[in-house]
Amino acid sequence: MTTNSQADGHSRTDPALLTTPFSSRARADEVIAGVDLIGRRAVVTGGASGLGAETVRALAAAGAEVTIATRRPDVAEPLVRKPAAVGGAGTVHAEALDLSDLTSVAAFVRAWRGPLDILVANAGIMALPTRTLTPFGWEMQLATNYLGHFALVTGLHTALRDAGSARVVVVSSGAHQGAPFDFEDPHFERRPYDPWAAYGQSKSADILLAVGARRWAADGITANALNPGYILTGLQRHLDDDTMRAFGVMDDEGDVKPLPYYKTPEQGAATSVLLAASPLLEGVTGRYFEDNQEARITWEYEGEPGRVAAHALDPEAADRLWEYGTDALRTA
Ligand SMILES: NC(=O)c1ccc[n+]([C@@H]2O[C@H](COP(=O)([O-])OP(=O)(O)OC[C@H]3O[C@@H](n4cnc5c(N)ncnc54)[C@H](OP(=O)(O)O)[C@@H]3O)[C@@H](O)[C@H]2O)c1
């Protein structure tokens, strides 16, 4: 058992946290070395770039048949065309998917045939500077990062069940810590829009999605969420130079360089791949990981790495959000 301190000075006891032998610097290929995924089928959203591409490489190198679900299948061409670059016995192909468009999600689900062993909900957007809405009137970060993935995961439930022991992996972020899901105003209709609150809220929702999926345990489906750490990717595209400088990743000349604690994309994809395919995660569900370890729960906003906010693991909030998501999809 692990003991955490609360704001009131009392301690609270957590169930034992799952640990693995892998450091925060382990690469995606290292955390599943020796794992055979031949005959396993995987979907990776946003798999054409950044952490998604490294997730695709590692799963395919271990033998999986990987589908990249992407807005721009042409961008995935290098991964699709050169399976040799991926190595191993796996295959890679790309299908169109725009998570912010329910019609596109429904088309992807309709076209899917057969069982699905691994679904990595990786795609995401961060800190859109102005409040942007989808045609359904949904705030764009919530729509892309959470609602689109909720539609995809629930739409593929039968395929996941048919795999017998499927795994859902939801890529969240440490930004969830400061932003619980706001059931009263999820789309910023009555509160002022804040790019980071919107991102953080969507990432809390992502963790709650994994917790809510515990209802599928009898189908052999497990679901876990993670924070990949800090990695320079396309994700920072909406940040202006002042913000990049404030983060310490842009110098006076405008050159962008990672800070020492930043990971490479190969390292950033490791926790996703660990949750997707490592035998160490067999049967584990509804939990949150960072740096290849299960994170410690915090009841107050610390903003520290290696922590998961209690609000994001709350089973009641997860069930309420599942109902919210179901209603949102029905009425869209
Ligand atoms: N990088 C970090 O430091 C960091 C930290 C914490 C969490 N994360 C999380 O890690 C995940 C991967 O991000 P990344 O760093 O690899 O960034 P990235 O390189 O920008 O990748 C994000 C992917 O999401 C896809 N995407 C965006 N909107 C989409 C939509 N509407 N429909 C389908 N796909 C869409 C993008 O595809 P397009 O090519 O079509 O745009 C892209 O492939 C995200 O969920 C992010 O929140 C990253």
Side-chain angles (χ1 to χ4, degrees):
M1 305 287 268
T2 306
T3 301
N4 282 344
S5 291
Q6 290 188 90
D8 59 9
H10 291 93
S11 61
R12 189 178 287 199
T13 309
D14 293 340
L17 299 176
L18 193 150
T19 59
T20 81
F22 302 109
S23 79
S24 61
R25 295 281 158 183
R27 294 186 318 266
D29 61 329
E30 291 172 322
V31 300
I32 55 160
V35 172
D36 183 357
L37 295 179
I38 291 175
R40 300 297 180 96
R41 304 173 76 213
V43 168
V44 180
T45 67
S49 69
L51 309 182
E54 297 309 325
T55 303
V56 168
R57 279 199 184 90
L59 295 178
E65 179 195 316
V66 186
T67 299
I68 296 175
T70 171
R71 281 187 293 192
R72 299 175 298 160
D74 53 307
V75 176
E77 273 302 297
L79 278 168
V80 174
R81 278 222 190 115
K82 293 185 189 153
V86 167
T91 59
V92 180
H93 66 278
E95 297 290 343
L97 173 73
D98 183 344
L99 288 159
S100 69
D101 175 359
L102 284 185
T103 316
S104 168
V105 179
F108 184 93
V109 167
R110 253 196 326 275
W112 185 263
R113 295 280 174 274
L116 174 59
D117 300 275
I118 297 169
L119 173 50
V120 185
N122 162 83
I125 49 174
M126 182 176 78
L128 269 60
T130 52
R131 181 171 175 260
T132 309
L133 301 181
T134 70
F136 299 112
W138 296 342
E139 189 281 318
M140 188 59 81
Q141 295 186 71
L142 189 64
T144 304
N145 299 352
Y146 166 66
L147 281 161
H149 277 131
F150 181 72
L152 183 69
V153 171
T154 51
L156 290 171
H157 172 225
T158 305
L160 292 163
R161 187 196 61 203
D162 291 351
S165 58
R167 296 189 187 184
V168 176
V169 176
V170 192
V171 182
S172 177
S173 161
H176 83 273
Q177 282 195 40
F181 189 83
D182 187 337
F183 286 97
E184 306 310 318
D185 191 16
H187 300 291
F188 294 82
E189 288 162 316
R190 291 181 292 282
R191 54 181 167 145
Y193 176 73
D194 177 295
W196 291 107
Y199 180 64
Q201 169 184 254
S202 73
K203 292 298 173 178
S204 283
D206 280 340
I207 304 170
L208 290 168
L209 168 54
V211 176
R214 72 194 184 289
R215 71 195 59 218
W216 292 341
D219 296 330
I221 301 168
T222 60
N224 293 287
L226 69 119
N227 172 20
Y230 294 97
I231 310 99
L232 284 178
T233 62
L235 191 69
Q236 292 85 17
R237 67 171 70 86
H238 297 295
L239 306 186
D240 60 23
D241 288 1
D242 286 344
T243 308
M244 292 291 277
R245 287 199 176 93
F247 282 174
V249 291
M250 183 181 278
D251 64 21
D252 292 342
E253 281 73 47
D255 293 328
V256 175
K257 290 196 187 101
L259 291 165
Y261 56 86
Y262 273 49
K263 299 179 184 179
T264 64
E266 292 87 344
Q267 293 166 334
T271 310
S272 294
V273 170
L274 179 90
L275 300 187
S278 170
L280 297 170
L281 269 290
E282 195 85 53
V284 174
T285 194
R287 305 207 202 171
Y288 176 90
F289 294 77
E290 184 173 319
D291 291 341
N292 301 310
Q293 313 294 334
E294 187 175 1
R296 181 170 290 208
I297 298 177
T298 177
W299 281 268
E300 60 180 30
Y301 178 58
E302 297 177 45
E304 280 201 23
R307 301 282 189 276
V308 56
H311 67 74
L313 287 183
D314 178 2
E316 277 178 31
D319 291 343
R320 192 177 168 196
L321 184 64
W322 197 282
E323 269 175 45
Y324 167 83
T326 306
D327 280 351
L329 299 189
R330 197 173 40 230
T331 55

